[in-house]
Amino acid sequence: MSLESETAMPVNEVQGVDYVREADVGIRAFASPNLSGFSGIIKQRYLDFLVNEIDSSGNAVHLTDLEPSSAPSNAAQTEEEAQNPPITNKQIMDELAGLVGAAKAEEIKAMLDEEAKERIVETEEETDKAKRTAIHQFIKEHLGKTLTTETRGNNIIKIRFKTAADQRDRRNQRAKYGEFDQLGGNCLEFVLYKENKDTMEVVNNLARTLRCQPKVFGYAGTKDKRGVTVQKITAFKIHAERIAGLNRTMSGCRFGNFRYVRDPLRLGNLKGNRFTIVLRNVHGANEEDIVKSLSCLKENGFINYYGMQRFGTASTPTNEIGRLMLQEKWADTVDLILRPRSGENEMFTRARKLWADTKDAEATIKLFPKRAVAECQILHAFAKRGSTKDALGAINAIPRNLRLMYVHAYQSYVWNCAASERIAKYGQEKPVIGDLVFEKNADTPDMADVELDDVDVDRKMPKVLVLDTNTIDNYTIYDVVLPQPGHKVIYPTNEIGIFYEDLMAKDGLNPHEMVRKVKEYSLTGAYRKLMAKPNDLTWKLMRYSDAEVPLTLTDLEKLEGKVQMEHANGFPDSQDGEHLAVVLELSLQTSQYATMALREVMRQETSSAFQSLQNPTKRPLEESSSANSDADEPIVQKARLDEPV
């Protein structure tokens, strides 16, 4: 069966609201196709969707303390160090010999004792990435004051004695950040707990309140708005007391678990997210079938689609805008961003109509709300120039991450379509000849899908292998990857490679020719696993009658000592409740969508518009900006935390 794409995306209209369906963005297949599914409401309350970031050490991040500590961060290590005495020099050299070999360890010892004229030791070639990482970390931890390491292109580690200049730079850094260095580092790390707020919204509020630039703050990833999320943030040269003081004045969020560290968080410095999800008003299947579906999800996983959040809430999907940008049709791109749409609130409708009727940029800006970032920046550019002729210049006025979001959405659309075609043509049980996999033991990440800034950078692409008769038995379906379109990736050599060409040809594009005149939109591409499996998946079925009864507890509620009420409407052992809820807990890697895991078992649309229409107590979706990053927010609900005092 062939899954074809249309250049113009259809939309589905329900109660006067146009919305993009899963099939419109390539989401069509299932990992376990024989499940019957069931219906339920996702995010009926924002408190039904809890997300805890999993940090780079593999630990779920929780808010457990709101008070800033006056002691340096490394003071907490005193008791542990007392129980575990420091490693001796002999032990260090013995362990080092186990990592680099006895001969190389002797060379390093001679260099440390200043008995060797040569101040550089190079290891033998080491192809095992984990082994190289262990060498780097061991030397940094135990010999980092005098030695530095780097990997050369041929997998040889160069171990160098720090020069006087290196030591001077270190002293200068200590002098510059002396106070923070004594505390443990020049970055304050803290846990951000937020309710029904976007990560960037909180960061911008922090910057405005503390009178600093947003770039002062670092984070590993942004979290959905509609939900309760917990993640780590770093702040450069900000004291814990300043952040902690905002717990009394900043609504919708809390800050805690303060400590000082040396390095800021950067995008991608996480392992994934831990989800607690309440599905309400579950019906359409008996409890036995529901458990069977969840067991299949645990055993077989789900197709690793990009979720509907990737394509926006608007009737104009973001991938359509990205397609026009890659076609270098700049005037058409502007028109698509600004043109009237169905289902929007009155403010957006009036602004778009005024633009369509008058092309008066200055007047239209006054009608658009500030959250319409893309629209406002385009109009500001037109107003400044006094002309609408420079469409490319107006598009380039949009913040870079927002501009790239559009072309990434087109890449995601193509990937989704290719994934559906791969499953339709070859099934979901095993690899086939011509599939791509990451090379085993290669110097590549497990997941090479890059969410941001994956264009215009000279980054090393992961090594992939085209499966043939000699290699296919060494891999499973969970090893198979598909490329996002780009000029640095390779494509499957089976019929899926041809599908990429045919699909994109309908849009006037070529997957092998993704370099553009405007360099910023030249796509390098990336790879993404075809299948995903949730980790530590658990569930429980609960009966309730009151739609507002909490069926799980947030970190803040636990911190405040609250316990879940054990009454007929919320206690899991009760059979008295009118409605059935399913409470899921699962962990997913970065760039995996919880909504796609839910889709696998529920077999119902996961778009925010569709979900909002399932909830009879809430109004239909009102669209916001086409570039809204809170793409999975179906319903606006006031934050539950205290208002500012």
Side-chain angles (χ1 to χ4, degrees):
M1 178 177 65
S2 177
L3 300 173
E4 296 185 352
S5 164
E6 298 292 338
T7 299
M9 294 290 182
V11 292
N12 194 32
E13 185 173 338
V14 179
Q15 296 186 11
V17 179
D18 286 348
Y19 70 94
V20 182
R21 299 170 300 174
E22 290 175 347
D24 301 330
V25 292
I27 302 172
R28 304 179 186 181
F30 294 96
S32 301
N34 296 323
L35 296 180
S36 57
F38 54 86
S39 296
I41 303 175
I42 304 171
K43 298 186 183 182
Q44 180 170 353
R45 309 167 74 241
Y46 70 79
L47 296 166
D48 288 343
F49 197 81
L50 312 183
V51 185
N52 292 81
E53 186 173 83
I54 299 174
D55 63 22
S56 56
S57 299
N59 300 313
V61 177
H62 287 280
L63 181 73
T64 59
D65 183 16
L66 296 175
E67 297 299 323
S69 173
S70 57
S73 298
N74 53 15
Q77 301 173 4
T78 304
E79 183 178 347
E80 181 181 350
E81 289 175 352
Q83 297 174 355
N84 301 286
I87 188 171
T88 66
N89 290 337
K90 183 179 184 305
Q91 289 173 323
I92 290 175
M93 298 314 297
D94 287 345
E95 289 194 33
L96 188 60
L99 290 170
V100 301
K104 293 296 179 182
E106 283 298 322
E107 291 183 36
I108 294 171
K109 184 177 185 303
M111 181 169 62
L112 288 170
D113 295 340
E114 299 187 7
E115 295 175 355
K117 295 180 180 179
E118 183 62 48
R119 292 303 181 94
I120 294 176
V121 174
E122 293 187 346
T123 67
E124 302 295 337
E125 181 179 1
E126 180 56 71
T127 58
D128 186 343
K129 181 183 178 183
K131 183 75 171 290
R132 293 199 306 274
T133 300
I135 294 170
H136 285 297
Q137 291 177 343
F138 184 85
I139 291 177
K140 180 178 180 181
E141 180 179 356
H142 299 290
L143 302 169
K145 290 183 178 181
T146 51
L147 299 182
T148 183
T149 63
E150 63 177 306
T151 300
R152 293 173 51 183
N154 53 359
N155 293 328
I156 290 175
I157 298 177
K158 182 167 70 173
I159 304 167
R160 180 172 61 84
F161 195 89
K162 287 185 175 180
T163 64
D166 292 327
Q167 303 288 358
R168 185 169 58 252
D169 289 343
R170 180 177 175 84
R171 288 194 299 272
N172 290 340
Q173 287 290 100
R174 284 182 172 177
K176 184 177 180 180
Y177 308 124
E179 178 185 3
F180 287 93
D181 195 62
Q182 292 299 314
L183 290 171
N186 52 44
C187 289
L188 171 68
E189 179 189 274
F190 60 93
V191 169
L192 164 63
Y193 167 101
K194 63 182 182 65
E195 294 183 356
N196 210 32
K197 286 184 178 293
D198 173 63
T199 302
M200 287 306 303
E201 177 186 355
V202 176
V203 166
N204 288 332
N205 285 341
L206 283 171
R208 186 163 50 251
T209 304
L210 298 175
R211 299 181 182 276
C212 61
Q213 294 295 320
K215 65 182 180 181
V216 163
F217 299 94
Y219 43 87
T222 57
K223 299 290 182 282
D224 293 344
K225 176 175 181 178
R226 186 164 174 77
V228 178
T229 70
V230 184
Q231 66 185 114
K232 287 183 179 180
I233 303 284
T234 55
F236 182 69
K237 296 188 71 176
I238 299 288
H239 286 97
E241 289 76 12
R242 297 184 68 191
I243 302 290
L246 300 178
N247 281 326
R248 295 180 291 106
T249 60
M250 192 170 287
S251 66
C253 51
R254 291 290 184 267
F255 313 100
N257 296 79
F258 300 98
R259 71 180 189 127
Y260 294 91
V261 297
R262 299 198 181 281
D263 300 316
L265 283 171
R266 303 188 186 280
L267 287 172
N269 291 160
L270 75 166
K271 289 288 182 67
N273 295 287
R274 179 71 177 170
F275 295 88
T276 302
I277 303 171
V278 178
L279 304 176
R280 292 186 183 254
N281 194 23
V282 174
H283 59 278
N286 58 41
E287 294 188 7
E288 182 180 350
D289 287 339
I290 292 171
V291 170
K292 177 182 176 182
S293 295
L294 295 170
S295 298
C296 280
L297 174 62
K298 186 172 186 176
E299 181 178 352
N300 301 327
F302 59 98
I303 301 171
N304 195 25
Y305 287 122
Y306 287 100
M308 298 302 291
Q309 303 97 305
R310 190 75 163 184
F311 307 100
T313 61
S315 58
T316 301
T318 51
N319 57 290
E320 280 294 276
I321 298 172
R323 173 179 61 83
L324 290 173
M325 294 173 72
L326 292 172
Q327 291 171 337
E328 299 179 323
K329 296 180 179 178
W330 308 117
D332 290 344
T333 302
V334 168
D335 178 66
L336 192 57
I337 292 173
L338 294 175
R339 75 180 183 184
R341 305 168 186 178
S342 65
E344 289 190 311
N345 63 36
E346 183 180 356
M347 189 179 299
F348 278 89
T349 299
R350 288 175 56 204
R352 296 191 190 281
K353 187 176 186 304
L354 179 63
W355 174 254
D357 293 342
T358 67
K359 295 295 187 289
D360 187 333
E362 291 189 1
T364 306
I365 291 171
K366 297 176 182 178
L367 293 183
F368 265 117
K370 291 183 179 180
R371 67 178 182 273
V373 177
E375 291 88 343
C376 288
Q377 291 302 316
I378 287 173
L379 293 170
H380 277 299
F382 283 157
K384 183 177 180 180
R385 294 174 175 82
S387 169
T388 62
K389 292 182 178 180
D390 186 7
L392 175 57
I395 291 169
N396 286 338
I398 301 172
R400 184 176 185 271
N401 66 325
L402 220 50
R403 298 196 306 273
L404 297 186
M405 181 193 72
Y406 294 127
V407 292
H408 292 326
Y410 180 79
Q411 286 179 301
S412 302
Y413 158 72
V414 172
W415 191 96
N416 279 357
C417 291
S420 292
E421 181 72 5
R422 166 62 181 76
I423 298 296
K425 189 166 291 294
Y426 299 117
Q428 66 283 349
E429 295 181 356
K430 58 184 180 181
V432 298
I433 292 174
D435 278 341
L436 304 179
V437 296
F438 290 135
E439 286 189 16
K440 288 188 175 180
N441 299 322
D443 189 9
T444 59
D446 291 334
M447 174 69 73
D449 174 34
V450 179
E451 288 296 302
L452 293 174
D453 294 330
D454 64 345
V455 295
D456 263 352
V457 292
D458 185 21
R459 62 185 176 88
K460 185 178 180 180
M461 293 298 292
K463 297 176 181 178
V464 293
L465 177 72
V466 180
L467 293 181
D468 57 24
T469 54
N470 296 320
T471 56
I472 192 167
D473 292 337
N474 298 327
Y475 296 87
T476 73
I477 190 67
Y478 301 100
D479 296 314
V480 173
V481 300
L482 288 173
Q484 290 183 346
H487 61 81
K488 285 191 175 183
V489 298
I490 65 172
Y491 294 86
T493 58
N494 50 35
E495 292 187 40
I496 304 307
I498 299 172
F499 177 81
Y500 275 91
E501 297 173 356
D502 293 344
L503 176 74
M504 294 180 63
K506 295 175 181 178
D507 293 330
L509 298 171
N510 185 333
H512 305 285
E513 298 176 1
M514 301 307 294
V515 176
R516 291 292 173 268
K517 294 178 183 176
V518 181
K519 187 178 179 183
E520 189 174 64
Y521 306 118
S522 294
L523 299 178
T524 58
Y527 297 98
R528 179 178 177 86
K529 291 283 185 71
L530 172 64
M531 301 289 293
K533 266 190 179 183
N535 295 319
D536 305 320
L537 172 61
T538 62
W539 60 82
K540 58 184 175 181
L541 277 56
M542 306 176 71
R543 290 281 173 180
Y544 70 99
S545 294
D546 182 359
E548 294 299 314
V549 68
L551 300 181
T552 188
L553 293 175
T554 68
D555 277 10
L556 184 60
E557 288 171 331
K558 293 175 182 177
L559 184 59
E560 293 172 344
K562 294 183 180 179
V563 295
Q564 189 167 317
M565 297 179 64
E566 297 184 1
H567 53 64
N569 287 340
F571 191 48
D573 293 335
S574 171
Q575 299 299 315
D576 300 332
E578 177 184 355
H579 305 296
L580 176 66
V582 177
V583 181
L584 294 164
E585 292 190 40
L586 67 157
S587 298
L588 296 176
Q589 295 180 18
T590 56
S591 189
Q592 293 178 352
Y593 288 74
T595 49
M596 293 296 98
L598 296 176
R599 170 186 177 270
E600 178 66 32
V601 294
M602 297 177 71
R603 304 300 160 98
Q604 71 175 27
E605 284 279 338
T606 56
S607 64
S608 57
F610 179 87
Q611 285 299 317
S612 69
L613 295 170
Q614 307 312 299
N615 188 350
T617 65
K618 304 295 180 182
R619 58 175 172 77
L621 173 71
E622 287 187 358
E623 295 182 83
S624 58
S625 168
S626 60
N628 188 357
S629 61
D630 307 324
D632 64 341
E633 178 202 0
I635 306 152
V636 174
Q637 183 175 342
K638 185 177 179 181
R640 195 173 49 83
L641 293 175
D642 298 336
E643 292 297 319
V645 295

